[in-house]
Amino acid sequence: MPTVSVKRDLLFQALGRTYTDEEFDELCFEFGLELDEITSEKEIISKEQGNEKAEGASDVILYKIDVPANRYDLLCLEGLVRGLQVFKERIKAPVYKRVMPNGEIQKLIITEETAKIRPYAVAAVLRNIKFTKDRYDSFIELQEKLHQNICRKRALVAIGTHDLDTLSGPFTYTAKRPSDIKFKPLNKTKEYTACELMNIYKTDNHLKHYLHIIENKPLYPVIYDSNGVVLSMPPIINGNHSKITVNTRNVFIECTGTDFTKAKIVLDIIVTMFSEYCENQFTVEAAEVVFPNGKSSTFPELAYRKEMVRADLINKKVGIRETPENIAKLLTRMYLKSEVIGDGNQIEIEIPPTRADVIHACDIVEDAAIAYGYNNIQMALPKTYTIANQFPLNKLTELLRYDMAAAGFTEALTFALCSQEDIADKLGLDISATNAVHISNPKTAEFQVARTTLLPGLLKTIAANRKMPLPLKLFEISDIVIKDSSRDVGARNYRHLCAVYYNKNPGFEIIHGLLDRIMQLLDVPPGEKKRGYVIKASEGPAFFPGRCAEVFARGQSVGKLGVLHPDVITKFELNMPCSALEINIEPFL
Amino acid sequence: MADGPVAEALLRRLEAADGGLDSAELAAELGVEHQAVVGAVKSLQALGEIIEAELRSTKHWELTAEGQEIDREGSHEARVFHSVPPEGLAQSELMRLPSGKVGFSKAMSNKWIRVDKTAADGPRVFRVVDSVEDEVQRRLQLVRVGQAEKLGEKERSELKKRKLLTEVTLKTYWVSKGSAFSTSISKQEAELSPEMISSGSWRDRPFKSYNFSAHGVLPDSGHLHPLLKVRTQFRQIFLEMGFTEMPTDNFIESSFWNFDALFQPQQHPARDQHDTFFLKDPAEALQLPMDYVHRVKRVHSHGGYGSQGYKYNWKLDEARKNLLRTHTTAASARALYRLAQKKPFTPAKYFSIDRVFRNETLDATHLAEFHQIEGVVADHGLTLGHLMGVLREFFTKLGITQLRFKPAYNPYTEPSMEVFSYHQGLKKWVEVGNSGLFRPEMLLPMGLPENVSVIAWGLSLERPTMIKYNINNIRELVGHKVNLQMVYDSPLCRLDAEQGSPQTQETT
């Protein structure tokens, strides 16, 4: 969930009233926001870097507000205020207009070289804007929030904003060999080639995260003006030449990306939020984008869409009984201008360009419910009549767990993920013999594979509890995972039962007795006949030679028991004899 | 019959004594070890109020073994003096005497003897005086007869330094008559025996009283794991509410069932390598229900079912990618898909509790794997009010009655609501679960009828367990680093019985 940090007093000033922290928290809760933290720059620096560094930092109070991940229109102070003011019916939702310039329209021409790396671009102009320090900071911060969220860390969309008065169109969006791109990047004093920049930014804590997006591509995206000035090398850095400042009056905005829909949404959000500060409030100057195929479109789209939803559907989905007029009012408070039309039950809802999250009637239903107040909805129990069933494997597991504890064994709960070493090397096996599924992106060795046996987890549990009095008697009934090409995903779980006895003597007879008890509980008689069970001498690298037996039950091998090999004991950092049993319980279902 | 001869003697003397008697004096009088008297005192004390015994400690001086030798035979220096005849003695010979070395230097410094180094056969020792006073022996004799106090502090400490004296603390009892004093006490029986029962002798026997403040001996037993005890209770609650358990025994899931089927777009951050464990082997799902896959593809890329869709290029390769399921909602999707294939539609209530996996940063409350609890109801005409009603019943069974609901965003539910409960310990509202109505873009491609709504909610098993058992670090609860003592000691899980101790960890 993105967190937006706003100055409290600035927020209250924009809202036209003040709140206590509790009141504002309550308002957030009702609207679906969360007042996560009340802090200040000073406090943040002091927390992260110590009191000394915080000296002199601002102690203006900041509200950190968690915003739902799909509400891009609430990612800045301007949007939050507009959303809350409309919600509280203090203002009407503004109407955003795209206007054609008096003179020539700004053009962005896309060349075909961009197709393989970053094919989409859209653009717009904010004309006669008036920044202040706070507005400017918010403008920069919104771009950063969009980059981190909908833009997927600039992979899907990257935003460049420029002082239009320093440039001269038309602009060209193309892709070039990195060695052929040379410009003075933002906040640097000399020119570098793209190759040099990629090297320099490897150590830049902010920019290093974006390099991978284009790093290994033969061509890098780049935007020039008609004089060959570099506007930006998306998604990495803008040029210094067209840098915007507090004094910038005309802003050229370009969004490039690999996802056309999201690029259009991002552009819409930026211009709707900041056109508030233009001389003609909430108007945005169009820009023309010429595609490689020669066709062209004007942006921003700023599309208003109409949806038709019946009032009774909303009542039925939420569980309320409101008149269509009231529902239209509720929706209007949620920035969705609505009116009752037709037979008096139909509601026409206008979805503004700021509400890209509304893609289905269910989104409209939710907004009606939020405006109604979730906590005002009458609770009811569904009349759904059903008979409950347990999943048979879990039912058997539950029954066995109790009797394992009754037999004196204590239940462990170990991780399903572990290292290759745990399931192979430490048990004297080669990893290829385990048939384990392998994880491609483990952060540490602890998450290399899914376990193929419960034994390592139990032995590690003993190792972590060596100070406990002996004997240690542990068990676990849980799932292991094995590759299986007959399953849709190519792997399956098996429910295993594993038990270990750890003491000064190996206690094979105790583990054997436990097996006998389990078979008694499962109603499997001893002997090979009548679907009974037997154990037969066997061997396995994890067991001491001559002290291992295989368990056959109901005509199939279900597992092994025996005294563990001293090498296994040592590798798990243990020093006492240990016997173990591990069986698959699925044949007993 | 008294408890041994010493105890008997003690009681008899005590009867005659005026006030009481000292255990050490009694030992001396009886000619037994003091320890024997102490034993008798203790055994009499155990019988109740027969005697009263007050522990006293006294200090006195005793001779060491060497001190006793000097007391008997004189100091080393005196012995050296006496062994020197008037005609003198060769120094080498003198040194061979038992007291030679120590005694020689002392006798020299006392100026009792002298050495003639010019003698013909080597150095020779002669007396200087005719007779000597053995002051050391005299002082030690005083100590022996119990008159150590006649010596000055300085004299005593000098003897102590020479390891001839030692100060000992004697613990003695001052014994007096108890409220139930009697000389004729009989031995109390420790325990009832089969013989006593058969002979009936228990009727005439007194029995030792039990110490009820001592702890009992814990039974040898196995123990269930606390987290799984809580799991059992949650299963029970769902079963009581008529919910059927979904199969969840597949940790490996395809991206399709884990994300795409839930209308979670392919660029969603949860599908990032940083959040999800993907598989290297088997890297891809082998089979997918292709008809259904096409419907899912359509709704993602073009919309449909009343939806605008996400309008992006949906890729089958991305959906095939295998992973460790990140939520049990993948299993719910499979269950709902199966339900959708049954015609006509029959309402269903499902639940599951099982492991899920996240490739996240680990801390005191987050592990790479945890258990998710999920409830699902599918029926015609379910409302948000129904969801809240079911949640109220569910949480009431957990002992949580103060609930409120906050609008939230989940990719696959709309409307969505986070469930908050008022925590008495923290004095604030804490999030206890997440819930919502599954999106039509998820349900309709499965083939569920249009007027069927599906309400669902989820929470983790670990958090309520940590609160219940007051555990701050999740590693003490889950995984091999578990504290077995905690497992041994953990009480029954009765979720509705009482609130756990105030929770101290972070709430999210």
Side-chain angles (χ1 to χ4, degrees):
Chain A
M1 210 190 279
T3 304
V4 179
S5 177
V6 295
K7 289 181 180 166
R8 185 194 62 183
D9 294 349
L10 220 53
L11 177 71
F12 288 172
Q13 192 192 331
L15 288 172
R17 62 159 285 187
T18 58
Y19 292 83
T20 65
D21 292 341
E22 290 73 23
E23 282 168 350
F24 192 72
D25 183 57
E26 200 59 40
L27 175 62
C28 284
F29 194 96
E30 192 188 352
F31 192 57
L33 303 168
E34 205 169 325
L35 180 55
D36 185 49
E37 205 186 343
I38 301 162
T39 181
S40 71
E41 226 163 90
K42 193 171 191 170
E43 206 180 312
I44 296 170
I45 299 173
S46 141
K47 227 188 249 174
E48 285 168 1
Q49 307 170 33
N51 284 331
E52 275 170 37
K53 290 263 165 107
E55 200 88 20
S58 157
D59 45 17
V60 169
I61 291 178
L62 298 177
Y63 275 177
K64 288 194 153 190
I65 302 169
D66 281 349
V67 174
N70 62 341
R71 289 297 298 270
Y72 318 119
D73 60 318
L74 303 177
L75 288 175
C76 59
L77 175 88
E78 290 73 14
L80 274 172
V81 168
R82 236 174 276 165
L84 289 170
Q85 293 294 72
V86 173
F87 183 59
K88 285 288 167 195
E89 297 177 286
R90 289 196 202 105
I91 61 166
K92 283 200 169 137
V95 177
Y96 307 103
K97 277 198 206 105
R98 183 176 74 190
V99 294
M100 295 310 273
N102 294 329
E104 205 164 322
I105 189 166
Q106 295 296 339
K107 270 192 192 176
L108 176 63
I109 300 154
I110 306 178
T111 72
E112 62 190 8
E113 288 85 0
T114 59
K116 280 194 177 144
I117 170 148
R118 208 170 175 84
Y120 304 110
V122 291
V125 174
L126 286 175
R127 189 63 76 177
N128 292 322
I129 194 165
K130 202 163 177 201
F131 283 125
T132 61
K133 177 74 172 66
D134 285 320
R135 291 173 182 183
Y136 177 84
D137 289 347
S138 176
F139 187 61
I140 301 296
E141 191 56 27
L142 173 65
Q143 293 174 52
E144 180 57 20
K145 291 286 174 216
L146 290 168
H147 275 150
Q148 290 311 313
N149 294 284
I150 179 174
C151 303
R152 298 289 292 112
K153 300 188 175 135
R154 303 191 187 178
L156 301 183
V157 185
I159 309 157
T161 53
H162 310 276
D163 186 339
L164 183 58
D165 298 333
T166 66
L167 298 165
S168 94
F171 306 100
T172 308
Y173 174 41
T174 184
K176 283 186 157 187
R177 286 215 308 264
S179 54
D180 295 343
I181 302 172
K182 194 168 186 194
F183 66 107
K184 197 196 284 179
L186 199 61
N187 302 328
K188 295 270 186 207
T189 48
K190 58 174 265 213
E191 290 196 343
Y192 298 90
T193 66
C195 305
E196 289 168 333
L197 282 178
M198 294 299 269
N199 251 326
I200 291 171
Y201 292 143
K202 275 202 175 86
T203 54
D204 184 303
N205 277 336
H206 180 54
L207 296 178
K208 67 180 178 190
H209 304 291
Y210 310 120
L211 305 182
H212 72 98
I213 303 171
I214 57 168
E215 203 166 23
N216 298 315
K217 308 277 166 128
L219 303 179
Y220 286 3
V222 59
I223 302 175
Y224 293 99
D225 82 348
S226 61
N227 297 325
V229 172
V230 171
L231 276 71
S232 66
M233 185 176 82
I236 311 297
I237 189 85
N238 288 348
N240 197 56
H241 179 92
S242 56
K243 178 178 169 178
I244 64 161
T245 68
V246 176
N247 301 319
T248 298
R249 293 302 311 273
N250 298 297
V251 182
F252 179 69
I253 303 162
E254 38 87 4
C255 299
T256 59
T258 54
D259 185 316
F260 194 34
T261 311
K262 290 208 160 62
K264 290 188 284 187
I265 294 173
V266 168
L267 184 65
D268 278 353
I269 293 292
I270 295 177
V271 299
T272 51
M273 292 301 117
F274 282 86
S275 57
E276 181 176 349
Y277 303 132
C278 288
E279 204 169 75
N280 288 322
Q281 254 197 338
F282 306 117
T283 63
V284 184
E285 183 180 308
E288 183 181 341
V289 174
V290 184
F291 300 104
N293 64 9
K295 292 186 179 167
S296 68
S297 296
T298 39
F299 294 100
E301 282 192 340
L302 294 182
Y304 280 81
R305 189 174 90 240
K306 293 264 164 75
E307 291 271 358
M308 228 58 100
V309 181
R310 293 186 67 81
D312 54 6
L313 177 101
I314 292 174
N315 276 326
K316 251 171 67 184
K317 290 284 177 192
V318 180
I320 53 176
R321 286 177 190 190
E322 288 294 299
T323 62
E325 287 72 20
N326 274 348
I327 290 176
K329 246 186 233 163
L330 292 175
L331 289 172
T332 303
R333 282 176 53 208
M334 297 305 289
Y335 221 106
L336 302 172
K337 205 175 116 203
S338 304
E339 55 183 330
V340 182
I341 57 157
D343 62 359
N345 198 355
Q346 198 76 271
I347 300 175
E348 188 185 66
I349 301 125
E350 188 181 64
I351 318 294
T354 46
R355 292 297 309 273
D357 59 297
V358 178
I359 57 172
H360 190 279
C362 67
D363 298 304
I364 295 165
V365 170
E366 179 180 83
D367 275 3
I370 293 172
Y372 184 83
Y374 274 9
N375 296 291
N376 298 327
I377 298 169
Q378 192 70 40
M379 297 189 201
L381 273 183
K383 298 197 164 50
T384 312
Y385 179 79
T386 51
I387 302 288
N389 288 302
Q390 301 185 50
F391 182 53
L393 185 58
N394 290 356
K395 187 176 180 179
L396 176 65
T397 301
E398 284 291 283
L399 290 169
L400 275 176
R401 285 175 59 233
Y402 278 87
D403 269 300
M404 290 295 288
F409 281 72
T410 290
E411 187 170 37
L413 174 65
T414 67
F415 296 127
L417 304 184
C418 59
S419 65
Q420 293 189 18
E421 204 190 5
D422 284 341
I423 56 164
D425 313 41
K426 286 185 182 174
L427 297 177
L429 279 172
D430 190 86
I431 187 69
S432 61
T434 59
N435 231 353
V437 305
H438 290 255
I439 293 166
S440 64
N441 57 333
K443 281 182 186 144
T444 67
E446 290 169 271
F447 312 117
Q448 287 173 327
V449 290
R451 63 184 173 198
T452 52
T453 157
L454 300 178
L455 182 61
L458 290 190
L459 294 178
K460 290 193 318 196
T461 306
I462 294 177
N465 284 278
R466 275 175 306 195
K467 62 181 193 305
M468 297 296 291
L470 295 175
L472 284 172
K473 298 195 275 186
L474 299 181
F475 82 96
E476 182 168 17
I477 308 179
S478 189
D479 286 359
I480 61 109
V481 184
I482 300 281
K483 280 199 286 180
D484 182 345
S485 58
S486 72
R487 294 302 178 103
D488 62 348
V489 293
R492 63 160 297 186
N493 287 18
Y494 283 96
R495 184 74 39 97
H496 273 203
L497 180 159
C498 184
V500 292
Y501 177 80
Y502 182 73
N503 201 1
K504 287 180 181 140
N505 58 301
F508 178 80
E509 68 287 356
I510 288 170
I511 277 298
H512 187 191
L514 181 70
L515 173 70
D516 292 338
R517 174 66 184 144
I518 292 166
M519 290 300 146
Q520 204 173 47
L521 291 165
L522 292 170
D523 202 15
V524 179
E528 286 189 70
K529 286 180 193 162
K530 294 183 188 164
R531 294 168 55 73
Y533 77 101
V534 288
I535 67 170
K536 290 179 182 169
S538 175
E539 55 188 19
F543 294 99
F544 199 44
R547 299 273 187 278
C548 170
E550 189 163 2
V551 186
F552 293 87
R554 300 198 166 157
Q556 58 177 300
S557 167
V558 295
K560 279 183 178 167
L561 77 164
V563 177
L564 292 184
H565 197 287
D567 285 345
V568 172
I569 291 170
T570 315
K571 280 178 184 155
F572 281 97
E573 291 164 19
L574 300 174
N575 48 19
M576 299 275 168
C578 182
S579 52
L581 161 73
E582 181 155 1
I583 57 169
N584 169 15
I585 63 165
E586 296 188 17
F588 306 103
L589 270 176
Chain B
M1 188 184 75
D3 210 15
V6 177
E8 220 169 313
L10 186 149
L11 290 174
R12 260 186 281 105
R13 301 247 174 168
L14 189 57
E15 189 180 22
D18 194 11
L21 49 83
D22 181 79
S23 60
E25 283 169 20
L26 181 68
E29 285 172 34
L30 295 175
V32 298
E33 289 283 321
H34 181 237
Q35 231 10 73
V37 178
V38 171
V41 168
K42 288 204 167 146
S43 72
L44 288 170
Q45 267 181 314
L47 298 178
E49 306 296 310
I50 307 277
I51 58 161
E52 272 172 29
E54 183 194 333
L55 188 62
R56 291 176 173 181
S57 64
T58 53
K59 284 184 177 177
H60 68 275
W61 293 92
E62 266 180 18
L63 301 183
T64 62
E66 195 183 351
Q68 285 170 9
E69 185 193 316
I70 289 169
D71 170 38
R72 270 190 324 269
E73 297 171 22
S75 65
H76 298 292
E77 52 271 34
R79 277 185 266 166
V80 162
F81 176 81
H82 290 300
S83 54
V84 176
E87 65 275 21
L89 188 66
Q91 191 182 2
S92 55
E93 210 171 311
L94 183 126
M95 282 310 191
R96 276 198 293 275
L97 294 171
S99 300
K101 267 195 185 148
V102 194
F104 174 75
S105 57
K106 274 273 174 199
M108 283 292 285
S109 71
N110 286 354
K111 296 198 164 59
W112 289 352
I113 54 172
R114 66 177 173 87
V115 182
D116 182 357
K117 291 189 176 161
T118 60
D121 308 330
R124 205 168 175 84
V125 180
F126 294 96
R127 288 190 181 183
V128 175
V129 292
D130 294 333
S131 65
V132 295
E133 279 275 322
D134 193 348
E135 189 61 23
V136 174
Q137 186 181 33
R138 192 188 64 79
R139 286 176 191 163
L140 291 180
Q141 280 165 350
L142 274 178
V143 173
R144 168 163 56 80
V145 299
Q147 296 183 349
E149 69 279 5
K150 284 193 177 161
L151 296 177
E153 186 70 33
K154 204 175 155 197
E155 290 161 334
R156 275 201 302 261
S157 69
E158 189 200 322
L159 291 171
K160 194 181 166 192
K161 221 186 265 170
R162 285 181 69 176
K163 297 205 164 66
L164 305 177
L165 274 192
T166 165
E167 189 173 29
V168 292
T169 307
L170 181 66
K171 289 202 188 297
T172 62
Y173 284 99
W174 179 253
V175 186
S176 56
K177 293 174 188 169
S179 58
F181 180 77
S182 157
T183 52
S184 59
I185 49 118
S186 59
K187 186 182 163 92
Q188 289 174 309
E189 297 292 346
E191 289 300 351
L192 195 60
S193 70
E195 291 75 26
M196 293 175 197
I197 293 170
S198 62
S199 68
S201 66
W202 60 269
R203 291 176 203 280
D204 315 319
R205 317 283 325 145
F207 287 85
K208 267 188 187 165
S209 55
Y210 278 173
N211 176 7
F212 291 114
S213 61
H215 283 287
V217 179
L218 284 177
D220 276 335
S221 59
H223 308 267
L224 293 172
H225 191 281
L227 188 83
L228 301 179
K229 289 201 262 198
V230 180
R231 183 181 72 178
T232 300
Q233 289 314 303
F234 274 101
R235 282 184 91 242
Q236 189 65 37
I237 287 169
F238 278 114
L239 293 169
E240 285 167 6
M241 291 174 70
F243 283 65
T244 283
E245 193 169 28
M246 291 182 273
T248 46
D249 58 335
N250 58 315
F251 294 164
I252 308 303
E253 193 52 276
S254 60
S255 292
F256 178 77
W257 286 109
N258 196 81
F259 294 124
D260 296 287
L262 301 175
F263 196 52
Q264 202 153 347
Q266 294 190 328
Q267 314 86 348
H268 193 275
R271 302 181 73 152
D272 202 285
Q273 298 274 328
H274 295 295
D275 292 294
T276 299
F277 288 114
F278 287 94
L279 292 197
K280 185 163 67 186
D281 181 24
E284 292 199 331
L286 306 168
Q287 302 145 31
L288 292 175
M290 288 315 290
D291 266 10
Y292 172 44
V293 168
H294 286 304
R295 294 196 293 274
V296 169
K297 175 182 177 164
R298 259 197 77 77
V299 75
H300 276 247
S301 48
H302 302 292
Y305 309 102
S307 176
Q308 300 289 310
Y310 294 123
K311 298 188 179 122
Y312 71 100
N313 184 13
W314 188 91
K315 295 188 183 112
L316 182 61
D317 287 350
E318 197 61 40
R320 279 197 190 280
K321 283 185 184 169
N322 272 338
L323 44 80
L324 279 148
R325 68 168 174 230
T326 63
H327 46 196
T328 48
T329 317
S332 305
R334 282 181 184 264
L336 289 169
Y337 177 71
R338 279 192 301 271
L339 180 70
Q341 309 318 304
K342 277 195 271 175
K343 309 285 176 186
F345 170 80
T346 38
K349 293 195 286 201
Y350 294 137
F351 82 95
S352 67
I353 311 169
D354 210 339
R355 288 181 203 240
V356 297
F357 304 85
R358 305 268 170 98
N359 195 7
E360 282 182 325
T361 313
L362 313 180
D363 60 34
T365 54
H366 293 86
L367 289 172
E369 49 189 279
F370 63 94
H371 290 72
Q372 193 184 331
I373 301 167
E374 188 155 325
V376 175
V377 185
D379 202 352
H380 297 283
L382 293 178
T383 68
L384 210 48
H386 285 134
L387 171 61
M388 292 161 68
V390 173
L391 287 168
R392 183 182 57 191
E393 296 304 316
F394 178 80
F395 281 99
T396 300
K397 281 178 175 286
L398 299 177
I400 295 172
T401 48
Q402 254 180 302
L403 286 187
R404 65 175 189 163
F405 303 90
K406 175 179 161 289
Y409 169 68
N410 299 315
Y412 43 88
T413 58
E414 188 82 15
S416 308
M417 39 174 60
E418 282 170 0
V419 190
F420 282 71
S421 96
Y422 191 75
H423 194 286
Q424 298 295 345
L426 292 176
K427 300 249 175 291
K428 67 170 188 181
W429 292 89
V430 297
E431 194 194 327
V432 291
N434 210 336
S435 68
L437 268 71
F438 281 134
R439 293 190 74 99
E441 293 100 321
M442 166 182 164
L443 301 177
L444 297 176
M446 288 177 170
L448 285 167
E450 206 163 331
N451 55 355
V452 166
S453 297
V454 181
I455 60 179
W457 75 98
L459 58 155
S460 92
L461 177 61
E462 278 76 359
R463 228 164 76 78
T465 307
M466 288 171 77
I467 295 169
K468 175 87 199 157
Y469 289 102
N470 202 22
I471 295 166
N472 291 325
N473 187 340
I474 198 164
R475 280 168 189 75
E476 285 176 27
L477 177 68
V478 182
H480 55 268
K481 288 184 182 150
V482 66
N483 174 0
L484 280 179
Q485 193 63 49
M486 181 276 294
V487 176
Y488 293 169
D489 296 345
S490 75
L492 291 178
C493 172
R494 293 183 298 163
L495 292 170
D496 53 349
E498 87 279 27
Q499 279 285 57
S501 324
Q503 153 201 29
T504 49
Q505 79 265 14
E506 282 290 306
T507 57
T508 48

